[in-house]
Amino acid sequence: MSSIQYLKGIGPARAKALQRLEIFSVADLLHYYPRAYQDRRENPPNSGLNPPSLVIFKGHVLRTQTIPARSVLIFKAFLADGKNNQFECTWFKKRSFRNFRFDPFAQLKKDFKTNAEIWVIGRKENRQQFFEHKITVEEYYPVSAPETFLHAGRITPIYGLTEGITHKQMRQYIHQALKSAEQSQQPDILPPVLAEKRRFLNSSQALQAVHFPASLAELENARSRLAYEEFLLLATAWGIKRTQTKTISKDYSYQIKKNLLSPFRQGLGFEFTNSQKKVINEIFADLQSNLPMNRLLQGDVGSGKTLVALSAMLLAAENGYQSALMAPTEILAEQHYSTFQKTLKKLHVSVGILTSSTKTAERKKILAALADGSLSVIVGTHALIQDDVQFHNLKLAVIDEQHRFGVRQRGKLKEKTAHVDLLTMTATPIPRTLALALYGDLAVSTLTELPPGRQPIATQMASDAQARHIVEEEVQKGRQAYIVYPLIEESENISAKAVSEEFEKLKTIFPQYRLAMLHGQMSRAEKESVMKDFAAHKSDILVATPVIEVGIDVPNATVMVIQNAERFGLASLHQLRGRVGRGRHESRCILVAEHEGSVSRQRLRIICDTCDGFKIGEKDMQLRGPGEILGTRQSGELDFKAADLFKDRNILQWAIEDRDELLQADPLLQKPEHAAFKKRLLELYQQNWHLIDLN
Ligand code: ADP
Ligand code: MG
């Protein structure tokens, strides 16, 4: 479909920003579903969509006021709604001393003329006065403006944003995309027989309604249709793939020689857990089989997936094959690299690392060594799948935390690894029964136990003050602490700013301790030196964004404070807290949450009550609030946008039935009435690592 640059208001800069959200085409935009909704209807029923601190009203302007203060200018607007409520909205602007004539409030003054009618969406400020509500305005829309109907007076979509794109813009772009799709009259992708059988909304109705629903019931109908579509596409892709893999056979084979594996095991200093042994056997059996391996290894944080991967990579090395491990972040790649180096040096197996910050000269050397086969193990980030990276005889690819790679990166990866054995690893598990229903014979291995001697991490909710107190206690004992802040609107840049501000505040709160900061906007060298210093106990408290999620291993760190815990997914919270409890000291995790209603408290309780990642995943999905109708991202190709594996079990069942019906009638989707379905399927999955060949 056409590029987004053809839409009004999207130039090269905006297009680039949208690409960060994996939006490249108008179709991508259409399928960029809201992450939540707010009920901005005029007299909404209590639908539970809106968090309690949110204020939404339509009011008229009573008066405005501009107040010049020393370094800032203040603009105030007083509004009244039809229900005897008065609101005071305040804006601050830094004074510009260069340009006295410039009025930073010109637009506000135009919009907030006396008696003008305006929709205001904001947050209550704490300092309430008499009958007046003080509001921090997040968005406002004059009732008379032509596009206000997209933003207010309705159930309004809230999108995941990135820097340089506002809520207002996003809604406008999507509205345009919907219009252009309507004009071009795309055929419905569902096979007609199935559409007839299931009687869902048609595709354009469903897309319209998922973005701009007229009612909650309509939204649910739309979501069901889109969920069905997603399930059907995926189930069909797997159905085809299953028949096809049975026909590919490998042109290489493995022998278990143990000339590396035995000394490796002896050198570890501990035994593999029974679970690790079992999983290693499963993987070795795959490698020795003449069908290419495509196995998912799931295991909780700290269950020891890395050593399982390394065992498989050593088997490859024993047989003279190259293997690669790809991680989603540099920090993680580096951690793997140093683990590997320690182990592999003794075994005289060469190992290298390749990331986007590898220096040119070094990179050249590594590329040459990969191409001539002198390097047998390589660790890296997606730098490993650039076009100029050529392997001599890569036979095994391992992907760590696979769900964190973008769809397009995964596609590239599949190109590179089409004919090798593939092991993907994740700490965000899906229940096996569901996987089986969907995939039939998907190869999944699960690490069900943690290595012995792990301390459970005592987790509690607490106030900010209590959290500080606990940090202080631990640091005084000679331990170290993490304080983690959430990502804001999915933008690392804004988050980095927010964290820097908190960092300055914390320095005044803990002047006697050594504080360090880590966020995604720092250079690799900076991050690395901050991490190294923290690991060497040259700092006591590490203030960070979730970049540490899959990174650091510091046994002396015993407390992790997570600020605004309600903004994290449970799976992320669970992974984050896995950063403590890695040594012999008792460890704790403190969740500081803003008051956000009982559902989010209930969710956080789950984290406090159990350390079992599988249980957490399952509960998390059962407890989705109405504002999270579209769910949070899940792992890997189970990364559905509309579907929810738990809520939509019935729909999944239908999709599997229908898939069988469809493939029986038309195994390679060659009939003309299946062309649109096939096209979408190839768009989604041909590039994926379950490569499908339909030509
Ligand atoms: P994850 O599954 O989260 O990737 P890691 O592979 O990073 O976990 O392992 C976590 C830690 O546990 C590492 O320090 C590793 O050396 C250690 N470990 C792994 N297996 C065992 C074992 N069988 N006995 C003791 N420690 C182990
Ligand atoms: Mg790991």
Side-chain angles (χ1 to χ4, degrees):
M1 216 176 171
S2 49
S3 150
I4 40 173
Q5 284 210 37
Y6 294 106
L7 295 181
K8 206 172 69 194
I10 304 186
R14 299 257 161 74
K16 209 158 171 218
L18 287 167
Q19 279 174 19
R20 286 200 294 269
L21 303 173
E22 302 216 332
I23 298 172
F24 297 85
S25 65
V26 175
D28 292 337
L29 205 48
L30 289 173
H31 291 281
Y32 193 73
Y33 307 146
R35 68 167 165 75
Y37 300 85
Q38 285 177 6
D39 199 339
R40 301 183 181 174
R41 287 177 291 185
E42 217 149 317
N43 289 302
N46 189 3
S47 53
L49 279 182
N50 301 339
S53 58
L54 191 72
V55 181
I56 300 168
F57 66 91
K58 184 167 90 171
H60 62 269
V61 179
L62 301 172
R63 62 191 170 89
T64 61
Q65 189 181 13
T66 310
I67 307 166
R70 218 146 61 103
S71 60
V72 290
L73 292 167
I74 300 171
F75 179 78
K76 281 180 191 278
F78 296 84
L79 286 88
D81 66 6
K83 298 171 213 149
N84 280 334
N85 293 305
Q86 290 202 11
F87 301 87
E88 179 188 322
C89 307
T90 309
W91 287 264
F92 297 92
K93 277 276 148 70
K94 261 223 164 79
R95 218 174 195 169
S96 160
F97 290 101
R98 282 212 218 111
N99 186 353
F100 271 101
R101 278 208 211 123
F102 174 72
D103 181 357
F105 298 130
Q107 188 63 43
L108 283 170
K109 284 178 185 164
K110 234 196 253 157
D111 291 333
F112 285 80
K113 292 239 166 68
T114 304
N115 276 330
E117 247 199 318
I118 299 181
W119 276 101
V120 176
I121 294 95
R123 300 266 165 186
K124 256 181 236 155
E125 280 176 33
N126 283 332
R127 36 189 195 98
Q128 199 87 293
Q129 276 184 352
F130 303 109
F131 300 108
E132 229 167 49
H133 304 280
K134 290 189 188 281
I135 305 291
T136 308
V137 176
E138 291 182 350
E139 298 170 53
Y140 76 86
Y141 301 96
V143 170
S144 60
E147 283 192 327
T148 292
F149 75 99
L150 293 176
H151 311 289
R154 65 171 320 121
I155 299 172
T156 308
I158 307 292
Y159 295 98
L161 297 178
T162 186
E163 220 194 343
I165 305 285
T166 63
H167 282 300
K168 187 173 170 185
Q169 287 164 342
M170 195 63 143
R171 281 180 213 123
Q172 276 160 352
Y173 299 157
I174 289 193
H175 177 63
Q176 279 188 57
L178 285 165
K179 272 204 298 204
S180 90
E182 207 182 294
Q183 276 157 14
S184 65
Q185 296 205 328
Q186 298 291 319
D188 202 311
I189 70 158
L190 284 188
V193 179
L194 300 180
E196 178 72 14
K197 178 172 163 193
R198 299 296 177 192
R199 299 190 174 280
F200 285 115
L201 298 179
N202 71 33
S203 175
S204 64
Q205 286 167 333
L207 286 173
Q208 174 69 36
V210 84
H211 290 292
F212 296 104
S215 67
L216 289 178
E218 192 192 73
L219 173 59
E220 194 47 36
N221 283 340
R223 206 192 57 79
S224 299
R225 145 80 206 225
L226 296 171
Y228 172 78
E229 187 177 302
E230 271 181 312
F231 283 146
L232 187 68
L233 282 161
L234 181 65
T236 307
W238 266 94
I240 295 168
K241 158 84 181 164
R242 207 162 54 194
T243 342
Q244 288 185 345
T245 33
K246 295 205 173 123
T247 64
I248 302 177
S249 65
K250 294 193 277 202
D251 57 358
Y252 56 96
S253 62
Y254 281 94
Q255 275 177 4
I256 299 184
K257 301 181 181 160
K258 302 212 173 174
N259 58 341
L260 294 173
L261 286 166
S262 296
F264 162 63
R265 271 181 82 158
Q266 281 149 16
L268 278 180
F270 49 74
E271 275 284 310
F272 281 133
T273 63
N274 286 331
S275 204
Q276 282 171 319
K277 286 181 197 162
K278 179 165 169 275
V279 166
I280 290 171
N281 282 332
E282 288 166 354
I283 293 169
F284 281 17
D286 279 2
L287 292 175
Q288 289 179 286
S289 127
N290 59 358
L291 298 178
M293 170 168 79
N294 191 349
R295 184 170 286 275
L296 175 68
L297 169 57
Q298 39 181 34
D300 215 339
V301 185
S303 58
K305 294 186 288 294
T306 316
L307 290 183
V308 171
L310 189 51
S311 305
M313 294 170 92
L314 280 173
L315 182 63
E318 277 188 356
N319 285 272
Y321 305 142
Q322 289 177 304
S323 61
L325 182 145
M326 188 164 111
T329 62
E330 276 184 26
I331 298 184
L332 187 56
E334 272 152 28
Q335 195 189 317
H336 284 319
Y337 178 63
S338 75
T339 311
F340 280 24
Q341 243 184 341
K342 258 183 259 157
T343 328
L344 296 182
K345 205 166 199 178
K346 287 182 262 171
L347 305 174
H348 307 288
V349 176
S350 53
V351 54
I353 179 167
L354 190 66
T355 70
S356 40
S357 40
T358 304
K359 298 251 158 51
T360 317
E362 180 63 18
R363 185 164 191 278
K364 245 190 189 153
K365 251 198 258 167
I366 288 175
L367 290 191
L370 285 175
D372 70 18
S374 53
L375 195 53
S376 48
V377 173
I378 184 82
V379 174
T381 57
H382 56 270
L384 282 177
I385 47 172
Q386 302 311 309
D387 286 330
D388 57 344
V389 181
Q390 297 296 332
F391 290 90
H392 178 63
N393 62 352
L394 179 73
K395 295 286 182 272
L396 170 65
V398 181
I399 301 156
D400 196 14
E401 306 293 346
Q402 51 123 340
H403 60 285
R404 305 178 128 250
F405 288 97
V407 176
R408 266 152 231 264
Q409 286 168 352
R410 285 189 228 145
K412 194 83 177 174
L413 189 71
K414 182 57 206 179
E415 253 170 56
K416 289 271 173 187
T417 60
H419 297 288
V420 307
D421 289 300
L422 188 64
L423 177 67
T424 51
M425 309 200 287
T426 178
T428 316
I430 49 157
R432 191 174 168 76
T433 46
L434 282 170
L436 276 173
L438 197 60
Y439 296 154
D441 50 8
L442 171 72
V444 185
S445 294
T446 307
L447 290 174
T448 50
E449 58 187 320
L450 295 180
R454 288 285 161 75
Q455 311 258 6
I457 301 151
T459 304
Q460 67 183 98
M461 284 184 257
S463 70
D464 205 19
Q466 287 166 320
R468 271 182 220 150
H469 184 73
I470 293 166
V471 166
E472 183 138 31
E473 242 174 41
E474 289 293 312
V475 174
Q476 219 137 46
K477 277 193 262 173
R479 305 283 91 77
Q480 289 158 278
Y482 299 102
I483 302 181
V484 182
Y485 291 86
L487 285 183
I488 296 158
E489 287 305 349
E490 290 155 38
S491 152
E492 262 293 337
N493 198 0
I494 303 175
S495 310
K497 260 188 247 156
V499 150
S500 313
E501 276 166 28
E502 293 299 331
F503 181 64
E504 293 306 318
K505 267 190 231 159
L506 285 166
K507 277 206 284 202
T508 63
I509 294 170
F510 296 117
Q512 69 277 41
Y513 302 128
R514 299 162 301 174
L515 271 64
M517 176 167 60
L518 190 70
H519 59 69
Q521 294 297 104
M522 293 161 61
S523 73
R524 183 185 87 122
E526 278 174 303
K527 280 191 265 192
E528 202 176 345
S529 92
V530 168
M531 273 171 49
K532 276 199 186 127
D533 285 354
F534 190 67
H537 203 169
K538 288 185 188 159
S539 52
D540 303 302
I541 302 174
L542 186 61
V543 181
T545 58
V547 291
I548 60 161
E549 186 174 344
V550 285
I552 297 178
D553 194 2
V554 182
N556 191 46
T558 53
V559 55
M560 166 162 295
V561 175
I562 303 177
Q563 296 285 351
N564 290 100
E566 77 283 353
R567 294 208 201 161
F568 289 87
L570 291 190
S572 310
L573 288 176
H574 181 60
Q575 294 210 345
L576 269 171
R577 89 176 150 181
R579 298 299 113 199
V580 294
R582 300 206 145 217
R584 58 206 153 80
H585 308 287
E586 252 175 65
S587 296
R588 36 210 313 206
C589 173
I590 316 294
L591 308 176
V592 182
E594 265 177 31
H595 253 295
E596 281 273 347
S598 61
V599 172
S600 79
R601 301 227 130 219
Q602 229 178 320
R603 290 174 66 231
L604 294 180
R605 273 250 74 83
I606 296 170
I607 289 284
C608 300
D609 290 346
T610 176
C611 282
D612 179 336
F614 285 81
K615 265 195 206 145
I616 290 169
E618 199 150 336
K619 283 265 169 60
D620 193 12
M621 292 198 236
Q622 285 165 3
L623 263 183
R624 292 274 163 68
E628 297 163 278
I629 293 171
L630 293 184
T632 47
R633 307 198 112 212
Q634 295 157 37
S635 59
E637 58 285 3
L638 288 190
D639 197 351
F640 297 117
K641 290 165 153 185
D644 182 319
L645 279 173
F646 285 85
K647 226 162 88 176
D648 301 325
R649 273 173 219 227
N650 289 336
I651 300 179
L652 173 60
Q653 217 49 58
W654 295 346
I656 291 167
E657 254 176 69
D658 293 355
R659 180 262 319 261
D660 294 342
E661 193 180 316
L662 176 67
L663 289 183
Q664 192 143 39
D666 186 7
L668 292 174
L669 303 179
Q670 283 160 329
K671 295 190 176 164
E673 67 267 32
H674 300 148
F677 186 74
K678 176 173 163 182
K679 181 165 167 269
R680 180 84 184 133
L681 186 131
L682 291 176
E683 265 166 28
L684 286 174
Y685 296 113
Q686 186 169 42
Q687 291 294 303
N688 211 322
W689 61 57
H690 311 291
L691 193 77
I692 290 172
D693 190 0
L694 280 181
N695 301 317

